[in-house]
Amino acid sequence: MGTTTTQLAATAFDSFFLQNGEFGGEHFRNHVELVVDTLADVLQDVDRPLEGKTVQDIQQELNGILDLSEEPQALHEVLREIKGPVIKNSLHVSHERSMAHLHCPPVLPGVLAELIIGALNQSMDSWDQSPAATYVEEALSRYWCGRIGFSVRGDGVFTSGGTQSNYMGMLLARDAFCRSKWEHIVQRDGLPESFKKMRVLCSEEAHFSVKKSVSQLGLGEKAVVPVPVLDDHRMDLDEVRRMVEQLEQDGLLPYAVVSTCGTTDYGSIDPLEGLADFCEEKGLWLHVDAAYGAGLLLSEKHNGKLAGIDRADSVTLDFHKWLFQPISSGMFAVKDRKHLRLLSHHADYLNPVEDEEEGIVNLVNKSIQTTRRFDALKVLLTLKVLGTRLLGSMVDRTMEVSSFAAEELGRREAFRVENPSPELSAVVFQYQPEGSLDVSDLNRKIQQKLFNEGTAVIAKTSVRGETYLKFTLLNPRTTEEDVLAVIDEIENTAKQILGGTPH
Ligand SMILES: *Cc1c(COP(=O)(O)O)cnc(C)c1O
């Protein structure tokens, strides 16, 4: 009886795996075609970034398909089931009027690389689980280090994104400081006695992951000192100097500065060269968060905005923001590879000391992850298929459209633009009609109504406690006409809302 069940099962599960030989190839092709057909069907019908359904509608549709059964169900049937409720009801990030967050339309080579990544399922922790992939990632790390301007001493590792890269930057900065200040090894001995005095400075508009990382690293959120920004939303360098001096006078220990290279909201770039000079002078660790600004590394026109990035001790780059990669794809880079050793931990089964002696590369040494995706392949395929010049010009194009958007909004009476000369590709603005009313509430309603109708997806953010609207233009296919249409839509929507409210 037991034997029969096992034999039955063997034939039953066979077809769910990748298989070798002539049959294997055909088998794979048939399955992929089903998926391609499903997606193609949906793409054909997409005419707005969102379907414009209510949360209740979406939940109800999902309820119909989320019951799980003990019995297998044919792939084509399951695909048919999820086509509407999941695929169609998604936010269509590749639509030209999807312009809310730092959430990019992925380029096809990146999307297709995901299929290869999944099918090969290499793990980047030890060389024997990714014999070729390890060297692809190494080559790409070197490539990006070169783009940053690091010497051969630079090194990097792929990460899940900016949050993880910032965490790594804050970890290395903490441990390097404890080592040089007290010869204290945090990895072995935990936090030093004076840890409560340690301080990191960053812009008050830095990404929240900086604070979160420092807090998770045991130093507490209060170890992060927010530095005020100037009107252009760049960190005030004079304030950095003044605050470091003040901290020192108070007996505290400032040890690192985070320079945001492209803030999430405004794309504003902190004064990199000045910060690099200051950090050098004071012996502070400089971490550059270029999760957004990384796109500029390929721009021939605008990469001067990153001048000084090569002087950072560590850098965060995201490829899934302004470099058109599917999530997730990011990198952490350091100017001096010796610092990555602060991360390594020898596990006999993954990275035995003998491997290192023989020159075998086990990337687990450089990462805070163990099993890790072969995301470098997406970046390789994209760089090769598109070429770096075209990629750079795609970044330039989004900047062109952003300048246009800022100008156009500035021209229209009822709008106030918070960053009239956008540094990157984000424009923050508010609709401010004549008359006294709750402007924040109006802007919130505009954003919500556009979202609910699905005609355009824009973001809202808070400026000095008020609700503002935001375009994050990451799609080089978004044109001036698209922007005009969305601005018109905002005006019309506002009028509808105001028309419906007696005041
Ligand atoms: C998005 C962003 C991050 C976080 O990156 P994830 O890839 O979302 O983890 C960090 N810093 C900045 C400036 C960002 O814009």
Side-chain angles (χ1 to χ4, degrees):
M1 206 40 196
T3 324
T4 325
T5 322
T6 315
Q7 276 168 352
L8 251 180
T11 48
F13 56 62
D14 232 23
S15 68
F16 296 113
F17 286 89
L18 287 171
Q19 296 179 39
N20 305 318
E22 210 174 308
F23 169 77
E26 196 50 35
H27 183 63
F28 181 61
R29 185 172 295 120
N30 291 338
H31 281 76
V32 173
E33 268 173 16
L34 291 175
V35 176
V36 172
D37 288 346
T38 309
L39 271 173
D41 268 2
V42 175
L43 287 175
Q44 221 168 346
D45 291 342
V46 169
D47 64 349
R48 50 182 65 199
L50 269 175
E51 283 287 294
K53 286 181 187 149
T54 63
V55 179
Q56 289 80 5
D57 284 346
I58 292 177
Q59 275 174 342
Q60 195 159 13
E61 282 181 41
L62 285 173
N63 281 341
I65 61 149
L66 293 179
D67 49 326
L68 304 175
S69 136
E70 281 188 2
E71 297 308 321
Q73 195 183 346
L75 175 65
H76 67 90
E77 260 178 46
V78 179
L79 287 169
R80 198 176 54 223
E81 277 187 10
I82 66 166
K83 190 160 129 183
V86 180
I87 303 180
K88 253 187 152 158
N89 286 346
S90 288
L91 168 69
H92 299 292
V93 295
S94 296
H95 194 279
E96 297 86 333
R97 293 181 193 178
S98 175
M99 42 176 88
H101 301 284
L102 279 164
H103 186 173
C104 68
V107 286
L108 280 170
V111 175
L112 300 175
E114 287 284 3
L115 183 61
I116 306 176
I117 294 167
L120 298 177
N121 204 30
Q122 302 294 283
S123 178
M124 307 306 294
D125 44 347
S126 62
W127 174 81
D128 59 358
Q129 300 179 86
S130 48
T134 292
Y135 291 99
V136 170
E137 181 173 320
E138 284 287 88
L140 279 160
S141 296
R142 273 199 302 278
Y143 175 80
W144 288 106
C145 282
R147 280 275 171 185
I148 290 169
F150 285 163
S151 73
V152 289
R153 282 175 38 222
D155 199 2
V157 67
F158 274 63
T159 63
S160 61
T163 303
Q164 188 180 82
S165 301
N166 281 346
Y167 177 86
M168 291 176 79
M170 292 301 94
L171 174 70
L172 297 194
R174 180 195 69 178
D175 292 6
F177 174 75
C178 292
R179 205 162 181 149
S180 69
K181 175 98 183 152
W182 301 295
E183 289 179 24
H184 180 96
I185 298 169
V186 181
Q187 193 188 41
R188 189 187 59 203
D189 300 328
L191 293 175
E193 244 166 62
S194 304
F195 77 91
K196 285 190 173 157
K197 295 184 175 169
M198 293 170 66
R199 293 292 181 273
V200 178
L201 287 88
C202 68
S203 155
E204 59 181 335
E205 287 175 9
H207 193 261
F208 66 84
S209 57
V210 172
K211 203 177 238 181
K212 202 162 146 182
S213 301
V214 173
S215 141
Q216 288 169 356
L217 288 163
L219 301 177
E221 282 190 4
K222 77 166 197 304
V224 178
V225 182
V227 180
V229 294
L230 297 166
D231 287 345
D232 57 4
H233 297 276
R234 289 152 53 100
M235 181 154 64
D236 184 342
L237 186 56
D238 291 335
E239 274 297 306
V240 176
R241 288 207 187 87
R242 199 194 57 74
M243 290 171 87
V244 165
E245 204 168 294
Q246 184 64 53
L247 290 167
E248 285 172 346
Q249 273 174 23
D250 295 345
L252 298 169
L253 301 167
Y255 66 96
V257 176
V258 177
S259 170
T260 310
C261 235
T263 54
T264 312
D265 263 349
Y266 305 97
S268 50
I269 298 176
D270 292 337
L272 259 176
E273 294 272 25
L275 286 167
D277 287 341
F278 178 69
C279 287
E280 232 164 67
E281 178 196 320
K282 302 288 292 181
L284 303 172
W285 183 285
L286 177 62
H287 176 73
V288 172
D289 178 359
Y292 184 1
L296 291 179
L297 289 173
L298 296 185
S299 162
E300 285 168 28
K301 238 190 216 162
H302 300 288
N303 70 2
K305 288 178 190 257
L306 293 182
I309 193 172
D310 56 316
R311 298 169 65 194
D313 293 288
S314 55
V315 177
T316 289
L317 305 177
D318 263 357
F319 307 117
H320 61 210
K321 289 208 171 142
W322 213 11
L323 284 164
F324 319 109
Q325 294 306 297
I327 299 161
S328 59
S329 185
M331 192 183 139
F332 174 69
V334 287
K335 182 164 63 189
D336 189 337
R337 62 176 64 235
K338 78 170 185 211
H339 291 301
L340 286 173
R341 265 189 243 135
L342 294 166
L343 290 168
S344 73
H345 179 91
H346 283 284
D348 285 334
Y349 73 101
L350 281 182
N351 57 343
V353 179
E354 306 88 72
D355 266 20
E356 212 162 280
E357 285 162 359
E358 286 168 30
I360 292 172
V361 180
N362 292 311
L363 293 182
V364 70
N365 285 328
K366 298 201 269 182
S367 179
I368 59 169
Q369 287 176 255
T370 306
T371 304
R372 189 162 57 83
R373 291 166 52 84
F374 181 22
D375 286 319
L377 187 67
K378 301 188 277 217
V379 181
L380 176 75
L381 230 67
T382 301
L383 289 172
K384 283 183 78 78
V385 172
L386 278 89
T388 54
R389 187 170 318 124
L390 181 60
L391 269 166
S393 73
M394 286 156 60
V395 168
D396 293 346
R397 176 69 186 133
T398 61
M399 288 176 70
E400 221 169 76
V401 177
S402 314
S403 297
F404 172 84
E407 265 167 46
E408 178 63 26
L409 288 162
R411 225 185 333 263
R412 299 198 190 193
E413 219 156 85
F415 288 96
R416 181 183 176 282
V417 186
E418 177 64 19
N419 61 333
S421 326
E423 197 76 42
L424 303 184
S425 64
V427 188
V428 177
F429 58 96
Q430 194 182 45
Y431 185 76
Q432 304 177 336
E434 298 240 346
S436 60
L437 68 157
D438 187 343
V439 178
S440 277
D441 186 56
L442 174 62
N443 281 268
R444 216 167 9 248
K445 282 182 177 147
I446 294 171
Q447 191 269 348
Q448 196 62 48
K449 195 157 192 294
L450 292 180
F451 188 90
N452 289 344
E453 284 162 12
T455 43
V457 178
I458 64 174
K460 60 177 187 297
T461 186
S462 164
V463 180
R464 294 175 294 274
E466 278 190 53
T467 302
Y468 273 58
L469 302 173
K470 172 167 102 155
F471 294 153
T472 311
L473 297 156
L474 296 183
N475 188 343
R477 297 184 60 253
T478 299
T479 61
E480 283 82 355
E481 287 70 41
D482 289 313
V483 167
L484 282 177
V486 174
I487 298 175
D488 286 344
E489 189 78 21
I490 292 172
E491 278 184 337
N492 293 336
T493 306
K495 282 171 192 155
Q496 280 170 31
I497 295 169
L498 291 173
T501 346
H503 60 272

